[in-house]
Amino acid sequence: MIKELVELDILLKTESRLENLVASDIVQASSDHTELVSSRFKGVTLDGENLILDISRSIFEKCFFAEIKPKQAIFHKVKFKNCNFSGADLRKAYFKECIFEDCTLLGADLSTIKLDKVIFKSCRIEDAFFIHSRLLKVEFEDLTLNKISFNNS
């Protein structure tokens, strides 16, 4: 039963697949460091506060990140396809060489976020804040943008 794994800190160094799970059942919202490498996620819900995430060379497809509020999050060479980040608080996140494709970000707090060589393709971004964010070589392609703030970015 997944609920029995609540205290488990995940460290995956090889290819892994998680499908149709609620990742917060596995990754307890705590200060434990969670590192995921070369993993593939499909239909996973990742939520909770105070998570410390370090995710690289992974793919998230049809995953749900709404209401996530990580204490710290680093995503390197990660692809997000058809994921939902609505209501996510990603103020302490760093995305490097990532791709967001067909993703939804409604009401996401992206203020102070760091984006380096990131591509947003065919995404819907509304009521989102990029206030005081660091955007380096960010590409926006074929997007729906509405009520976006880039103040001091």
Side-chain angles (χ1 to χ4, degrees):
M1 194 103 206
I2 294 174
K3 289 287 183 191
E4 296 170 2
L5 301 176
V6 168
E7 298 299 323
L8 182 64
D9 180 27
I10 300 174
L11 177 61
L12 302 173
K13 290 286 187 183
T14 59
E15 285 199 25
S16 307
R17 291 181 74 97
L18 294 177
E19 293 193 24
N20 302 314
L21 297 176
V22 176
S24 62
D25 289 340
I26 299 170
V27 183
Q28 176 67 8
S30 69
S31 62
D32 291 338
H33 180 85
T34 303
E35 182 178 347
L36 302 169
V37 180
S38 299
S39 302
R40 183 173 181 90
F41 301 85
K42 186 172 184 180
V44 173
T45 297
L46 187 60
D47 62 8
E49 294 186 19
N50 299 318
L51 298 171
I52 297 176
L53 302 170
D54 187 343
I55 301 173
S56 61
R57 296 185 311 277
S58 298
I59 299 171
F60 289 88
E61 185 177 348
K62 296 181 181 175
C63 294
F64 191 72
F65 293 88
E67 308 301 326
I68 190 172
K69 185 178 181 179
K71 184 175 183 179
Q72 175 184 335
I74 299 170
F75 297 92
H76 183 236
K77 294 187 178 180
V78 175
K79 181 174 185 177
F80 301 95
K81 184 168 176 65
N82 200 14
C83 293
N84 189 336
F85 291 87
S86 296
D89 182 344
L90 296 171
R91 289 180 287 176
K92 304 217 175 165
Y94 174 51
F95 294 87
K96 182 171 184 177
E97 298 177 41
C98 294
I99 299 171
F100 292 81
E101 186 176 336
D102 296 316
C103 293
T104 303
L105 295 93
L106 304 177
D109 189 348
L110 308 169
S111 54
T112 69
I113 194 171
K114 294 176 185 149
L115 302 173
D116 187 1
K117 298 179 185 169
V118 172
I119 298 170
F120 290 93
K121 183 177 181 181
S122 301
C123 294
R124 180 178 170 207
I125 306 174
E126 295 185 20
D127 295 316
F129 307 98
F130 286 94
I131 299 169
H132 298 290
S133 298
R134 188 172 140 213
L135 306 161
L136 300 172
K137 298 182 182 176
V138 177
E139 295 180 30
F140 295 100
E141 186 178 317
D142 192 28
L143 299 182
T144 299
L145 295 174
N146 189 21
K147 297 181 185 174
I148 307 300
S149 178
F150 287 99
N151 293 347
N152 299 314
S153 292

